[in-house]
């Protein structure tokens, strides 16, 4: 995957989040402030508008900077900073092994910036298991990623706004876990 291919994927996420806006907002309305759909849509609309090309590391870095400056809310700095950090390890031609490294950096960045670990009902629950999924199954299939997001449904949130809902956060998939499914699916598409 070179810079052009990666740019295509990042631009493609605009239509994904246009389509998934109401789903993500619906989840965030249950256990947050109801803006995750709008946040992701705004972020990737800005990426579509502002990120215009370069090598794969450059595209990742520009995507990250754009997400940081365009998404309000907790998810902006977490996703934004993660893309910037992934640009440090990405090769100009990203292969499967390199993608695994990138996903590890994605997880480590969210862990340190969000002070989060597994089982706290956040995007981290999907991101942290995706490298292993790629390693074991050789792909990042939508169904498999969705199953990871599904696991957050029965968790009790202890980070972010959802933590205010305590026990009541049970029964809803974490919005950030759901958006992470789409981002990681896009990164892995065509890498099988
Ligand atoms: P906000 O909560 O500020 O409105 P968003 O709604 O855009 O921001 O994003 C919420 C998502 O961010 C949550 O569903 C969760 O996945 C993620 N999140 C929030 N806080 C943390 C954290 N400390 N660590 C990891 N992820 C977090
Ligand atoms: Mg929110
Ligand atoms: Mg908010």
């Amino acid at each position: 995957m070179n810079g052009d291919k990666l740019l295509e994927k990042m631009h493609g996420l605009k239509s994904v989040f246009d389509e998934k806006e109401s789903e993500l907002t619906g989840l965030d309305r249950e256990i947050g402030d109801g803006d995750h759909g709008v946040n992701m849509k705004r972020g990737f609309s800005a990426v579509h508008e502002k990120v215009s090309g370069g090598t794969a590391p450059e595209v990742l870095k520009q995507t990250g900077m754009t997400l940081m400056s365009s998404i309000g809310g907790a998810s902006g700095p977490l996703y934004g900073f993660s893309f910037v950090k992934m640009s440090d390890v990405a090769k100009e031609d990203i292969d499967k092994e390199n993608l695994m490294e990138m996903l590890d950096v994605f997880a480590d960045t969210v862990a340190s910036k969000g002070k989060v670990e597994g089982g706290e009902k956040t995007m981290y629950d999907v991101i942290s298991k995706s490298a292993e999924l790629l390693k074991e199954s050789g792909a990042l299939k939508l169904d498999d990623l969705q199953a990871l997001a599904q696991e957050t449904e029965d968790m009790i949130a202890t980070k972010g706004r959802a933590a205010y809902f305590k026990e009541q956060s049970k029964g809803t998939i974490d919005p950030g876990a759901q958006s992470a499914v789409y981002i990681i699916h896009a990164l892995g598409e065509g890498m099988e």
Side-chain angles (χ1 to χ4, degrees):
M1 168 163 65
N2 62 15
D4 288 346
K5 184 71 202 151
L6 184 64
L7 182 69
E8 211 176 281
K9 292 180 178 193
M10 295 299 104
H11 282 181
L13 279 168
K14 177 193 183 292
S15 27
V16 171
F17 285 115
D18 280 349
E19 192 189 315
K20 303 295 183 184
E21 179 189 353
S22 59
E23 177 195 44
L24 296 172
T25 288
L27 295 174
D28 200 31
R29 210 172 268 145
E30 294 296 322
I31 57 170
D33 57 355
D35 62 358
H36 192 59
V38 179
N39 286 345
M40 297 309 293
K41 181 179 163 159
R42 185 183 300 128
F44 279 94
S45 291
V47 166
H48 191 270
E49 193 182 310
K50 292 186 180 139
V51 181
S52 57
T55 63
E58 283 163 0
V59 168
L60 288 167
K61 187 164 183 196
Q62 287 174 41
T63 297
M65 304 290 283
T66 305
L67 292 177
M68 276 198 263
S69 62
S70 61
I71 305 184
S75 55
L78 291 168
Y79 280 140
F81 200 53
S82 294
F83 272 87
V84 171
K85 291 301 242 179
M86 283 194 279
S87 80
D88 290 341
V89 296
K91 295 179 176 159
E92 297 212 351
D93 195 359
I94 299 165
D95 58 12
K96 216 190 260 186
E97 206 165 306
N98 192 203
L99 182 57
M100 285 175 205
E101 270 179 84
M102 286 166 53
L103 292 172
D104 281 334
V105 168
F106 196 170
D108 290 348
T109 307
V110 171
S112 66
K113 211 169 168 56
K115 299 184 173 57
V116 69
E117 47 187 62
E120 293 198 273
K121 196 178 180 97
T122 69
M123 57 172 70
Y124 182 75
D125 290 306
V126 169
I127 299 163
S128 61
K129 290 183 183 156
S130 60
E132 204 180 311
L133 178 64
L134 180 57
K135 211 167 291 172
E136 282 172 6
S137 74
L140 293 164
K141 294 198 201 93
L142 194 57
D143 286 356
D144 292 337
L145 289 165
Q146 189 58 45
L148 296 178
Q150 196 63 46
E151 285 177 22
T152 66
E153 184 168 324
D154 290 332
M155 294 177 186
I156 295 171
T158 46
K159 285 279 150 48
R161 285 177 194 280
Y164 295 114
F165 290 78
K166 301 199 171 98
E167 279 280 340
Q168 283 174 44
S169 66
K170 255 187 163 179
T172 302
I173 292 175
D174 175 65
Q178 189 61 54
S179 61
V181 166
Y182 303 130
I183 290 176
I184 294 170
H185 182 247
L187 284 172
E189 247 182 335
M191 299 287 289
E192 302 83 13

